[in-house]
Amino acid sequence: MRFIICFIGLPCRKSDGGGCAVGESIQHLKARAVLVDMEEGVVNEILQGALREVFDSAQLLTDVSGSGNNWAVGHMTYGSTYREQIVEKLRKAAEHCDCLQCFFIIHSMGGGTGSGLGTRVLSLLEEEFPEVSRIVTAVYPSADDDVITSPYNSVLAMRELTEHADCVLPVENQSLVDIVNRIKRMAHGEKPGSVIKKNSTIISNKGGLSGAEKPFDAMNNIVANLLLNITSSARFEGSLNMDLNEIAINMVPFPRLHYLVSSLTPLYMLADVNVPNRRLDQMFSDAFSKDHQLIRADPKHSLYLACALMVRGDVQLSDLRRNIERLRPSLPFVSWNKEGWKTGLCSVPPVGHSHSLLALANNTCVKPTFMELKERFTKLYRKKAHLHHYLHVNGMEQSCFSDALGSLDALIEEYQHLDATKDRFIPDAIRLSIAS
């Protein structure tokens, strides 16, 4: 195994058909995963669910009280209390990997455990495994989030992500909700010729089995599909495999600007989904459509620093090159990296589909998301609302808030500086003539 997934405060339930060797049952597989949550209810639910045999119970860590939607409690209090146990579980998981390339950290940004303890684990990984890439999938709260302090938690976590992560794949709750609602409308036959079986795995983690849909199952499944695609080259053979550590090397030209916009096509990827397959060329167009992105943004009206295409299924290299050449004129790249494409081809498609595509774009379109987050943070911080809950935590000071806001301001300014060069023509440097 080449990667370890660490879930903090965000459960994600999914398996990928075709991942088992012939004759191997799911009971004999153990995920290289560490599950951490300071509220035991979610982890207990996983242990009683359909995938309970996949997770090693020795690699789970829970408490009973939770972090109370407080970043400081998760980061300072629980981070200090459970530091040694977390490090030990991570080391144990790493010892079982024959070629460790990457850590995946999956956490929410709005709550206390996900934002606080999630970013504490990120810094622990940097200390204990400095040479191993750290890729974070961070779920950002929507504007109408019911956690009042989520702007504080998100901005405090943003500083840690900017400083300690190699790549961050931001996912917005509102985008997930929009995608799920579109899928449900299709399930009720809103679009002619498009049918999704009711109670399918798209909307329920139980597939076609009876049982009520649980909150957030469909949203978690989309995030899980993102991971299945990004790790496909590490799990299956392909004609152009992409090592996980190549993502940061090729996609991040500046160390702080490592936030990658992800888009998936198809978004419904399971065998019990009866939707006419999209043509291959249309699939590439979909990958650059706003409807297929996991954050609300429009990369085509912003500046690309780099782009990665990770394709699964019976797709030829010539198909990949043809579509890149077709799309290239409509995608504004920085003048000094117009050839900034990274590609991967995995021969094994998702269950029920002939091919799929994950696009990762390092694009300045993430700036509005950060600006909106800053605005929500400022509304609270200007009045010093709820601040006392954080300052009562041992080790937490008010300077943490101002430093986090300053880090976010600097990040936004860097994206603005790049955006300002979008319409500015910069000619190529004069090539040197070599005397013969």
Side-chain angles (χ1 to χ4, degrees):
M1 185 62 72
R2 300 181 183 183
F3 54 88
I4 298 172
I5 301 178
C6 190
F7 301 95
I8 304 100
L10 176 73
C12 216
R13 313 177 189 95
K14 194 70 167 179
S15 62
D16 192 15
C20 301
V22 175
E24 188 174 20
S25 67
I26 196 171
Q27 285 80 9
H28 296 136
L29 296 174
K30 291 296 180 183
R32 297 285 181 261
V34 178
L35 279 66
V36 181
D37 201 339
M38 295 297 99
E39 193 278 315
E40 62 181 353
V42 172
V43 173
N44 287 342
E45 188 177 318
I46 293 173
L47 293 178
Q48 297 168 9
L51 299 181
R52 58 186 176 273
E53 299 295 336
V54 173
F55 297 101
D56 183 352
S57 59
Q59 292 297 86
L60 313 181
L61 182 62
T62 62
D63 205 296
V64 292
S65 60
S67 299
N69 297 323
N70 189 324
W71 179 90
V73 173
H75 195 85
M76 307 287 188
T77 304
Y78 285 125
S80 299
T81 302
Y82 289 101
R83 183 188 189 283
E84 296 304 320
Q85 291 184 53
I86 292 171
V87 169
E88 180 61 28
K89 292 181 186 300
L90 290 170
R91 285 177 178 165
K92 182 179 179 181
E95 288 172 359
H96 286 85
C97 292
D98 50 17
C99 180
L100 180 58
Q101 291 183 357
C102 177
F103 287 102
F104 284 98
I105 304 96
I106 307 173
H107 64 90
S108 61
M109 296 285 281
T113 298
S115 65
L117 189 56
T119 52
R120 183 62 180 268
V121 170
L122 179 64
S123 62
L124 288 177
L125 289 172
E126 186 178 35
E127 293 175 14
E128 301 293 332
F129 304 90
E131 303 301 321
V132 183
S133 295
R134 299 170 299 280
I135 299 179
V136 181
T137 300
V139 180
Y140 285 69
S142 56
D144 58 352
D145 184 47
D146 60 356
V147 178
I148 302 297
T149 55
S150 66
Y152 283 160
N153 298 331
S154 299
V155 172
L156 288 164
M158 277 284 295
R159 183 192 181 196
E160 302 296 317
L161 294 182
T162 302
E163 297 297 329
H164 301 296
D166 291 299
C167 284
V168 179
L169 309 178
V171 176
E172 287 184 339
N173 263 334
Q174 189 57 54
S175 289
L176 297 179
V177 170
D178 293 343
I179 291 169
V180 170
N181 286 339
R182 283 199 301 272
I183 293 173
K184 286 185 177 181
R185 287 197 297 270
M186 293 171 66
H188 289 85
E190 181 180 288
K191 295 183 179 180
S194 298
V195 179
I196 298 179
K197 294 181 181 179
K198 294 179 181 179
N199 297 322
S200 71
T201 342
I202 286 302
I203 359 183
S204 169
N205 70 328
K206 294 190 175 184
L209 302 177
S210 60
E213 174 189 351
K214 297 179 180 178
F216 309 117
D217 276 346
M219 296 165 65
N220 284 343
N221 283 340
I222 294 171
V223 178
N225 281 332
L226 167 64
L227 290 175
L228 294 179
N229 278 272
I230 203 171
T231 61
S232 59
S233 288
R235 297 182 292 117
F236 303 116
E237 293 184 354
S239 57
L240 190 63
N241 275 2
M242 183 191 303
D243 283 347
L244 295 169
N245 52 22
E246 292 180 8
I247 295 174
I249 292 173
N250 290 274
M251 296 292 292
V252 183
F254 306 108
R256 288 168 53 86
L257 306 186
H258 52 235
Y259 293 85
L260 308 182
V261 179
S262 53
S263 57
L264 284 167
T265 177
L267 285 162
Y268 20 87
M269 303 174 61
L270 301 169
D272 55 358
V273 177
N274 181 22
V275 179
N277 278 333
R278 304 285 272 174
R279 290 182 296 106
L280 182 61
D281 289 1
Q282 185 61 51
M283 182 183 73
F284 280 86
S285 299
D286 288 344
F288 294 91
S289 164
K290 291 186 293 184
D291 290 343
H292 288 254
Q293 290 177 182
L294 303 192
I295 73 167
R296 294 169 297 156
D298 191 357
K300 287 190 175 182
H301 290 88
S302 300
L303 199 61
Y304 281 86
L305 307 183
C307 186
L309 299 177
M310 307 176 75
V311 188
R312 296 180 63 181
D314 185 17
V315 180
Q316 304 301 315
L317 186 58
S318 58
D319 297 321
L320 192 56
R321 289 174 176 167
R322 185 186 72 254
N323 278 283
I324 288 176
E325 291 303 318
R326 178 176 63 87
L327 293 166
R328 191 196 304 269
S330 64
L331 305 177
F333 269 75
V334 289
S335 59
W336 40 265
N337 198 29
K338 291 186 179 295
E339 303 298 323
W341 295 81
K342 178 64 179 174
T343 55
L345 286 176
C346 173
S347 59
V348 180
V351 172
H353 287 274
S354 58
H355 42 250
S356 71
L357 171 62
L358 166 66
L360 299 176
N362 192 335
N363 191 289
T364 59
C365 68
V366 296
K367 182 183 66 175
T369 297
F370 300 156
M371 292 176 68
E372 179 183 334
L373 184 59
K374 174 191 171 183
E375 182 181 354
R376 294 173 54 208
F377 174 94
T378 304
K379 286 180 180 178
L380 289 177
Y381 190 58
R382 187 183 295 121
K383 301 294 184 182
K384 301 296 186 288
H386 306 284
L387 213 59
H388 60 287
H389 297 298
Y390 292 79
L391 299 181
H392 287 165
V393 177
N394 187 34
M396 188 70 180
E397 299 178 358
Q398 190 166 332
S399 60
C400 295
F401 288 86
S402 55
D403 290 346
L405 183 59
S407 175
L408 183 58
D409 276 331
L411 186 66
I412 292 171
E413 186 177 347
E414 290 180 60
Y415 280 115
Q416 285 175 332
H417 177 73
L418 283 170
D419 259 340
T421 68
K422 187 174 70 170
D423 299 321
R424 191 185 308 162
F425 175 72
I426 303 177
D428 292 336
I430 300 174
R431 295 180 181 274
L432 296 175
S433 297
I434 301 177
S436 57

